[in-house]
Amino acid sequence: MQSQDVARRSVPDPTAVDTEQAEAALVEHYPRLVRLAYLILPPSLGRNRRVLTAHSLAQRALPRGRRPGAADAIPSPRRADDCDPAYAYVRGRVVTAALEATRPRRWKALPRRVQLPPLLPQVWGLRLFTRSGGADELALDQRLSALSGPARAAYALRGLEGLDDTRVRQVLQAAGVADPRTALDRADGPAAQYGLLASAAFDPCSLQARPTDLLRRRRRGRGALAAAAAVLVCGTLLALPDGGLGAGKAAPPAPTGSTPAGQALNPARLTRVAAGAWKTSPRTDFSVWPARGDRAGDTALLRRALAVWARPDDSVQVSSTPGTPSGPPMGAPQLLFAGAVDDAVVVLFYDGLRVVRYAEAKDGVGGAALDFARVDGADEASSDALVAGRTDGNVRYLTAPWVRDAGVRDLLTPAAGARPLPLSADGVTDPVPGPGVSRACTSWNALALSDSAGTHLLTDLGELPPARLLAGPPAGPHDVTGAADRASWAHTACLLPAVRSHGVRTVNSWQFADQPLPGAEDRAVWLCTRADTWRGAGSRILAQFRVPDGRGQAPDTVVARAEDSPACGKRQPRVLAGVLWKARGGQWYVLAAGSTQFASLAATGGVSGSAAGRLLAVPAAQGAKAQLSGRLADGARVGSLR
């Protein structure tokens, strides 16, 4: 692992990067690299091929050959906007390959490899494309498509990577761009809406799928088989009496009002809950939300929304959270809301498993949008609000009928109070600036909603139900209400993009240890942040390390991450993590900390040392590689989070 000074170089010497380091950087930053490639690739490729090519370029970015190294290195701490030599190397490879795909072919010259459809990955029978964005994302995509490949690369490196013009010029020169200055000048053309680059509309890792020529292939295959059969047994077929096989076979009947499918399309059969039902119901979730909105009685609107839900055509932009089925309703769903939200008309349904949002333009121009989100097992706190609409970077929420008060709290200013947030008679909030809209993450807004159980903090992660923020040990997390919890979340908020558009239900940040720093009077803080999903699978875990360095509310350093791990959760409420840290005097140390279940820790490999208890500090050389393990109170030995 390299020092922080070396990590700031934009174009490192490839011989200084071994395969293991490059692979670790590629795996850690894979979504970021694929997004970068997608932004640089020419839109003329088409959305499906552009998505697959972006993944192909990122997967082929590893250096050729293999140099000695260890895969289980303990990372050196660095800020999120720094890049280590391994990441800079694979990023340069991705930029170079993406720019190769944008260069015109010379006359009679064979196409370059990157200009051909990728061999891997391949998807048969489906078209893949990124999720639909708002009007701002669409306008930015059109402006970027008018730029040259180097200009798009300059814009993406500025906005997505946060590089200044000098470093952008270095990366472009290394990628073979003849005139980086012109590329930078042309990149100034589109308005600097860098925050939109983090949108799901530009995320090739969060995709929608639609069939391609699947039905046509089936018809052609059947036709070929029928022709072959006709040639072989034509005499037998001619001998068959009229009305033989297939003659007069009836088509499936259309749904009628007597079938569940027919009832689902009938606005008159929609479930409508009375306004005060939640006050006497034993349940407090979406099932007791009343039907609200100034268009709740618009039969034509409701019929359109139900028809689009049942059979969306190609003009409808459909998105769903991971693990959420996007099929039609099995019966008559419940109506939650129907009304105007900014420039759109929105209808919200609930069918016991999913919340479904239908939106069309208020003026009737353009297509419709259909969003699905899984919300089964919701309780009172997780049913407090739904996203009603997003416009110009702002979000409007529809709040539950039991919400007494609403406010907006900036997580990066923990000492400030919550700003009051007005609610309409139907429970729709005023516009709230979306969280993390600025590239530098200078603010992160969360919704503070008060009900009979207290005040809950929720934040928009790009889906219909906002995620609930928690703090405390896995056995008993609590709402973020105290000053200490808010101060800790100020260092975690800007890490939330790592779980955006992932179907997240709750995010709990738990401080599991604090450790005295060698040679200093300061203490480091260790945290574990766990994002759990509505579907159960796919939880994401981050181990964080924080030292007092005068950077205010700067994000914590992420030293380990895992997915689908029980660590830091109710099933396994423990964690062990480590980091390679440099003291002010220049000495490097391997620092490690475990939760209260650990009785001793040990480091092996490039660094050797052990300690009783759950804290470890061992002197080490710069770039040292070590493996951590710990022994629990019952004698079991476990490894660190990875």
Side-chain angles (χ1 to χ4, degrees):
M1 192 62 61
Q2 307 297 318
S3 68
Q4 294 182 14
D5 292 336
V6 177
R8 295 180 183 275
R9 294 184 300 174
S10 294
V11 187
D13 179 4
T15 62
V17 178
D18 61 36
T19 306
E20 287 79 8
Q21 289 175 324
E23 182 181 14
L26 177 61
V27 171
E28 179 178 0
H29 301 289
Y30 183 79
R32 184 169 158 188
L33 292 165
V34 177
R35 188 188 295 257
L36 179 62
Y38 181 83
L39 289 167
I40 298 173
L41 286 169
S44 59
L45 291 176
R47 292 189 293 177
N48 179 75
R49 183 170 163 189
R50 191 178 173 193
V51 164
L52 295 177
T53 302
H55 282 274
S56 176
L57 298 184
Q59 293 171 12
R60 292 161 49 200
L62 290 178
R64 299 183 182 275
R66 186 174 184 89
R67 299 180 65 249
D72 298 328
I74 296 178
S76 300
R78 64 177 184 272
R79 291 184 54 179
D81 56 353
D82 289 341
C83 64
D84 61 285
Y87 175 70
Y89 174 77
V90 294
R91 179 183 62 194
R93 296 258 299 179
V94 168
V95 172
T96 301
L99 287 174
E100 281 286 325
T102 69
R103 296 184 179 118
R105 289 174 54 189
R106 291 173 293 181
W107 185 66
K108 292 187 177 181
L110 293 175
R112 299 179 179 90
R113 176 65 191 88
V114 295
Q115 294 174 325
L116 297 173
L119 297 176
L120 290 173
Q122 282 287 352
V123 177
W124 295 94
L126 288 175
R127 287 186 298 111
L128 300 179
F129 48 91
T130 58
R131 297 189 178 189
S132 59
D136 294 341
E137 287 87 347
L138 179 60
L140 177 60
D141 191 39
Q142 291 173 344
R143 290 194 294 269
L144 290 177
S145 66
L147 297 178
S148 65
R152 282 196 304 274
Y155 191 91
L157 290 169
R158 278 176 175 169
L160 194 63
E161 296 293 291
L163 303 184
D164 57 31
D165 285 1
T166 299
R167 296 174 69 190
V168 170
R169 192 160 50 247
Q170 292 174 347
V171 175
L172 294 180
Q173 286 175 340
V177 175
D179 191 357
R181 293 185 182 275
T182 300
L184 284 165
D185 292 341
R186 292 178 178 174
D188 291 330
Q193 296 177 294
Y194 296 136
L196 294 178
L197 298 182
S199 166
F202 302 109
D203 183 6
C205 293
S206 179
L207 299 171
Q208 301 179 74
R210 289 291 179 273
T212 54
D213 58 349
L214 183 60
L215 297 179
R216 183 182 303 171
R217 290 203 312 271
R218 182 178 296 174
R219 287 196 298 268
R220 289 176 176 174
R222 287 174 176 173
L225 289 174
V231 171
L232 294 174
V233 295
C234 59
T236 304
L237 292 175
L238 291 173
L240 289 174
D242 291 342
L245 290 175
K249 183 178 179 181
T256 65
S258 61
T259 65
Q263 294 174 10
L265 299 178
N266 187 352
R269 302 300 297 268
L270 286 171
T271 301
R272 296 172 184 259
V273 176
W278 63 272
K279 298 178 181 179
T280 57
S281 172
R283 297 177 58 176
T284 311
D285 55 20
F286 294 111
S287 67
V288 292
W289 274 34
R292 292 174 286 175
D294 56 2
R295 304 284 291 272
D298 189 336
T299 302
L301 169 65
L302 299 178
R303 193 181 304 278
R304 286 197 305 275
L306 290 169
V308 169
W309 181 0
R311 295 185 182 90
D313 59 25
D314 290 340
S315 67
V316 180
Q317 298 180 357
V318 182
S319 69
S320 60
T321 58
T324 303
S326 58
M330 298 302 296
Q334 177 184 343
L335 177 63
L336 303 181
F337 177 84
V341 180
D342 295 323
D343 295 330
V345 178
V346 173
V347 183
L348 285 166
F349 298 110
Y350 172 66
D351 68 355
L353 171 70
R354 304 165 295 177
V355 170
V356 182
R357 177 183 179 269
Y358 168 84
E360 64 181 26
K362 190 184 295 184
D363 57 9
V365 178
L370 198 61
D371 303 310
F372 296 86
R374 186 171 173 173
V375 291
D376 51 317
D379 55 15
E380 180 176 351
S382 54
S383 305
D384 270 352
L386 291 171
V387 171
R390 296 185 180 90
T391 305
D392 297 330
N394 296 321
V395 186
R396 286 187 188 265
Y397 299 90
L398 176 65
T399 58
W402 53 79
V403 169
R404 299 173 178 175
D405 187 37
V408 179
R409 185 179 289 279
D410 185 355
L411 296 181
L412 300 192
T413 56
R419 306 187 302 275
L421 180 62
L423 301 176
S424 71
D426 291 323
V428 178
T429 69
D430 278 5
V432 178
V437 293
S438 65
R439 174 171 56 91
C441 191
T442 55
S443 67
W444 193 284
N445 287 326
L447 200 61
L449 300 180
S450 299
D451 55 29
S452 60
T455 299
H456 312 297
L457 217 56
L458 306 115
T459 191
D460 176 30
L461 292 180
E463 295 163 336
L464 289 179
R468 183 183 178 190
L469 304 182
L470 302 170
H478 54 267
D479 285 296
V480 182
T481 54
D485 293 337
R486 291 196 296 269
S488 180
W489 260 104
H491 298 275
T492 301
C494 289
L495 302 177
L496 287 173
V499 298
R500 197 192 296 270
S501 300
H502 192 59
V504 172
R505 177 173 182 169
T506 60
V507 185
N508 182 47
S509 187
W510 166 42
Q511 179 179 324
F512 64 88
D514 66 278
Q515 180 177 23
L517 294 172
E521 298 180 358
D522 297 327
R523 300 183 71 87
V525 174
W526 295 86
L527 300 98
C528 188
T529 297
R530 180 183 178 91
D532 285 320
T533 66
W534 286 95
R535 64 191 184 277
S539 298
R540 291 183 176 178
I541 302 97
L542 303 177
Q544 299 155 224
F545 177 74
R546 182 193 313 157
V547 295
D549 57 2
R551 290 189 287 137
Q553 312 301 338
D556 292 338
T557 297
V558 177
V559 299
R561 63 185 71 214
E563 187 162 349
D564 272 333
S565 168
C568 302
K570 290 183 179 180
R571 293 186 178 276
Q572 193 180 93
R574 65 172 187 264
V575 63
L576 169 63
V579 69
L580 186 62
W581 176 78
K582 183 180 180 180
R584 291 191 181 96
Q587 175 63 51
W588 288 83
Y589 291 88
V590 168
L591 303 182
S595 50
T596 56
Q597 296 87 345
F598 286 87
S600 63
L601 304 181
T604 57
V607 177
S608 180
S610 62
R614 59 193 186 103
L615 302 175
L616 175 70
V618 181
Q622 178 181 354
K625 302 177 185 296
Q627 292 77 45
L628 295 175
S629 62
R631 192 174 295 279
L632 304 178
D634 62 3
R637 182 169 292 278
V638 296
S640 59
L641 181 72
R642 67 185 60 204

